[in-house]
């Protein structure tokens, strides 16, 4: 297997600099290169890359495990230092999301890199194959996507996006290296807009915002319902958007609405979100988004305020009052808790409150959307579940959640209500199966999944050495 001893990161922005920092955490030296500032004198030619490294040094949460590890990162620029790429094993392109800029830079890289050197892109918005269209066979053989999630030190998900020409041995080398050396959970995605994590995650967020407005729920209501109650992170929906940044979500949604045309292309960012972007209420980075902190009269930090999405005014955060939620909090098992909230206990369905109505719509839509994405965004439902667990910290991926709620009972309810039902779940039930996963004591993972392509149980694969 190809060894990776030295890397180069092209682009010293937020992602590029933090990717280089995480290589340093693993003791792997890297070059961090960026453009030469206009009219720069000799000492200032590396100014942009140096500023990127400095930002990574000061990042909170810390990008470096120890400040001294910054010594593994050597800064430089595209004009003077591209020749150094001849002695690295892996080149990661992380410059701005412009096809022309990426292709122009990579043409220079193509002329310098030694044959066989792996080159990948960290793009989240452009087709990976298109970036290297017309490049040499050797370049395209070693070219694919490596989509790190921000911040790279803390977010476990790494989506690998093979192209049809990419060499499987090169992909396997990067997957193994990132698993063992960088601590990544690696998922194979197809070369479709927003790949797996952001495609499913963006759909879910947009749908949740739609339902919030339709059911007249508050920001606090939705965060109470889309957090630990359903096995999602405590930061739930809107607190997570504040952490990530409303501008980042806006960019990902923009990419999706421009490039994706599927059965749910009707979803869009609501007006209140657009107004927040215009006002630069971007979340924690601007000290205010869906929530903001205030100082009390004594100067100490006061409680967090919540936004009223109808008036765009802040008010003291209110505790949501849902009887079903209060009851469900005492149920430890996620499946039993979910069935109670949805009113799908004992195979039948019973009346639910507004909280249950919201969750039923949000989750049944999520299940149908996810099932419709196989094989479009991934050949396997396992990769979709892994991407959502690793990239969004969900306790269970969409198909695991569906199993927990009960596939048969939920599909029966969807049909009764006239909701769309995915052809793939019809296929599962027609084969006499009622779950996407089943226990399997013979495989290292302990599980099998229903493979839609072969219509057979297949073992859930885990990396060598994982039990």
């Amino acid at each position: 297997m190809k060894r990776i001893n030295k890397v180069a990161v092209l682009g010293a922005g937020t992602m590029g600099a933090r990717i280089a920092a995480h290589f340093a955490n693993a003791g792997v030296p890297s070059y961090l290169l960026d453009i030469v500032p206009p009219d720069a004198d000799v000492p200032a030619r590396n100014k942009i890359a140096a500023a990127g490294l400095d930002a990574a040094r000061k990042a909170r949460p810390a990008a470096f495990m120890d400040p001294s590890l910054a010594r593994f990162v050597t800064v430089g620029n595209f004009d003077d230092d591209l020749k150094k790429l001849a002695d690295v094993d892996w080149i990661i392109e992380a410059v701005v999301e412009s096809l022309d800029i990426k292709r122009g830079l990579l043409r220079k890289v193509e002329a310098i890199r030694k044959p066989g050197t792996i080159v990948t892109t960290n793009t989240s918005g452009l087709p990976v194959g298109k970036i290297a269209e017309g490049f040499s066979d050797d370049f395209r053989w070693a070219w694919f996507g490596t989509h790190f999630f921000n911040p790279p030190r803390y977010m476990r998900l790494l989506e690998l996006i093979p192209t049809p020409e990419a060499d499987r041995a090169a992909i396997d080398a990067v997957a193994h290296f990132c698993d063992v050396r960088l601590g990544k959970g690696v998922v194979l995605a197809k070369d479709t807009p927003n790949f797996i994590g952001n495609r499913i995650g963006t759909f879910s967020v947009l749908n949740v915002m739609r339902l919030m407005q339709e059911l007249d729920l508050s920001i606090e209501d939705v965060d109470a319902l889309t957090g630990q109650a359903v096995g999602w992170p405590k930061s739930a929906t809107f607190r997570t958007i504040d952490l990530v940044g409303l501008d980042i979500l806006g960019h990902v949604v923009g990419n999706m609405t421009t490039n994706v045309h599927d059965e749910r292309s009707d979803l869009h960012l609501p007006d209140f979100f657009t107004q927040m972007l215009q006002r630069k209420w971007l979340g924690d980075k601007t000290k205010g988004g869906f929530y903001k902190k205030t100082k009390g009269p004594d100067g100490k930090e006061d409680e967090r305020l919540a936004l009223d999405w109808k008036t765009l005014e802040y008010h003291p955060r209110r505790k949501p009052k849902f009887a079903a939620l209060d009851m469900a909090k005492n149920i430890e098992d996620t499946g039993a808790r979910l069935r109670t909230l949805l009113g799908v206990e004992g195979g039948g369905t019973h009346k639910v409150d507004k909280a249950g109505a919201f969750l039923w719509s949000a989750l049944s839509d999520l299940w149908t959307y996810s099932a419709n994405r196989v094989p479009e965004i991934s050949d396997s439902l396992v990769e979709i579940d892994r991407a959502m667990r690793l990239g969004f910290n969900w306790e269970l991926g969409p198909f695991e959640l569906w199993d927990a709620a009960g596939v048969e009972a939920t599909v029966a309810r969807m049909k009764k209500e006239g909701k769309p039902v995915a052809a793939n779940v019809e296929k599962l039930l027609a084969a006499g199966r009622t779950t996407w996963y089943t226990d399997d004591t013979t495989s290292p993972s302990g599980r099998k999944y229903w493979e839609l392509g072969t219509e057979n149980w297949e073992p859930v694969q885990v990396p060598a050495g994982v039990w």
Side-chain angles (χ1 to χ4, degrees):
M1 188 176 281
K2 182 177 174 67
R3 295 184 63 82
I4 296 168
N5 299 311
K6 193 168 194 176
V7 300
V9 181
L10 310 181
T14 301
M15 279 305 290
R18 283 158 179 74
I19 289 169
H22 196 49
F23 277 108
N25 293 333
V28 179
S30 69
Y31 294 117
L32 178 63
L33 311 182
D34 211 309
I35 60 169
V36 176
D39 306 320
D41 56 11
V42 174
R45 287 178 72 78
N46 297 338
K47 188 177 177 181
I48 292 175
L53 179 59
D54 194 44
R57 277 199 194 96
K58 295 171 181 170
R60 291 291 173 268
F64 288 100
M65 290 179 180
D66 186 270
S68 66
L69 292 170
R71 70 185 185 278
F72 282 102
V73 183
T74 304
V75 297
N77 66 73
F78 297 151
D79 291 2
D80 305 328
D81 302 304
L82 277 187
K83 57 185 179 290
K84 293 176 180 173
L85 302 187
D87 69 320
V88 303
D89 308 297
W90 178 13
I91 300 161
I92 301 173
E93 174 274 305
V95 299
V96 294
E97 294 284 76
S98 158
L99 190 62
D100 290 343
I101 290 172
K102 288 179 187 292
R103 283 174 62 82
L105 175 63
L106 290 167
R107 278 294 185 197
K108 295 175 185 172
V109 171
E110 183 183 30
I112 290 161
R113 67 183 266 281
K114 62 178 183 278
T117 303
I118 294 167
V119 190
T120 68
T121 177
N122 188 58
T123 185
S124 57
L126 295 170
V128 175
K130 198 168 183 182
I131 297 171
E133 220 168 53
F135 280 59
S136 68
D137 289 348
D138 184 80
F139 188 96
R140 285 182 291 112
W141 176 83
W143 167 260
F144 51 97
T146 45
H147 184 221
F148 289 84
F149 274 55
N150 193 28
R153 178 183 165 189
Y154 301 92
M155 298 299 284
R156 278 197 64 210
L157 179 59
L158 172 67
E159 293 176 318
L160 293 191
I161 305 97
T163 63
E165 299 100 329
D167 175 50
R168 190 67 209 208
I171 294 166
D172 288 345
V174 166
H176 179 76
F177 174 88
C178 291
D179 170 20
V180 174
R181 295 290 298 275
L182 300 184
K184 293 292 164 195
V186 176
V187 165
L188 283 178
K190 291 199 176 179
D191 194 3
T192 56
N194 290 354
F195 310 126
I196 297 176
N198 283 338
R199 178 76 176 272
I200 301 292
T202 302
F203 162 76
S204 183
V205 165
L206 292 178
N207 201 36
V208 159
M209 289 185 190
R210 174 187 71 84
L211 291 165
M212 174 179 76
Q213 293 174 98
E214 284 182 11
L215 294 169
D216 195 21
L217 295 167
S218 69
I219 299 290
E220 301 100 307
D221 289 339
V222 170
D223 274 359
L225 293 167
T226 58
Q228 291 168 309
V230 291
W232 293 351
K234 196 175 179 181
S235 56
T237 298
F238 293 105
R239 185 73 197 98
T240 299
I241 296 172
D242 277 356
L243 288 164
V244 171
L246 277 77
D247 52 336
I248 302 295
L249 177 61
H251 171 74
V252 173
V253 171
N255 182 50
M256 189 155 151
T257 50
T258 304
N259 299 305
V260 173
H261 304 287
D262 60 30
E263 74 279 11
R264 296 310 303 270
S265 293
D266 57 308
L267 292 171
H268 56 269
L269 285 170
D271 290 342
F272 68 77
F273 193 98
T274 310
Q275 288 183 52
M276 291 172 74
L277 288 177
Q278 288 166 354
R279 296 182 187 195
K280 300 283 190 283
W281 295 358
L282 306 180
D284 289 7
K285 66 177 87 173
T286 58
K287 313 293 185 202
F290 290 105
Y291 297 96
K292 77 171 180 180
K293 293 176 181 174
T294 58
K295 299 283 181 187
D298 55 358
K300 288 185 179 171
E301 196 173 273
D302 200 3
E303 65 182 323
R304 199 184 290 272
L305 302 178
L307 186 73
D308 182 328
W309 58 267
K310 295 176 192 170
T311 63
L312 290 189
E313 291 173 356
Y314 289 96
H315 57 252
R317 196 160 50 167
R318 301 175 190 128
K319 191 174 167 56
K321 292 183 174 63
F322 296 117
L325 203 56
D326 292 337
M327 187 169 65
K329 278 177 184 168
N330 301 317
I331 304 170
E332 281 197 27
D333 177 69
T334 302
R337 188 167 66 246
L338 202 56
R339 291 190 295 274
T340 299
L341 285 166
L342 297 178
V344 195
E345 202 53 275
T349 60
H350 35 270
K351 193 163 168 48
V352 292
D353 60 5
K354 197 191 268 193
F358 167 84
L359 284 174
W360 166 248
S361 290
L363 293 176
S364 59
D365 288 353
L366 170 70
W367 295 329
T368 299
Y369 190 79
S370 300
N372 283 339
R373 303 284 75 80
V374 181
E376 182 198 343
I377 65 173
S378 164
D379 283 326
S380 145
L381 58 95
V382 175
E383 300 290 270
I384 293 177
D385 278 347
R386 274 175 57 78
M388 300 316 292
R389 288 201 314 271
L390 294 166
F392 288 75
N393 290 328
W394 290 8
E395 183 188 326
L396 301 170
F399 295 94
E400 293 164 321
L401 261 179
W402 205 346
D403 276 357
V407 176
E408 255 188 323
T410 52
V411 170
R413 182 171 167 187
M414 287 179 201
K415 287 182 174 177
K416 189 178 170 186
E417 295 178 1
K419 290 175 81 77
V421 175
N424 278 333
V425 77
E426 296 273 33
K427 208 171 170 183
L428 175 84
L429 295 171
R433 310 299 175 198
T434 56
T435 59
W436 295 104
Y437 292 90
T438 188
D439 292 338
D440 172 29
T441 53
T442 63
S443 75
S445 67
R447 292 199 300 169
K448 286 181 182 172
Y449 72 99
W450 185 250
E451 170 50 56
L452 286 157
T454 62
E455 296 198 34
N456 277 313
W457 291 113
E458 302 287 351
V460 173
Q461 300 294 338
V462 288
V466 174
W467 179 35

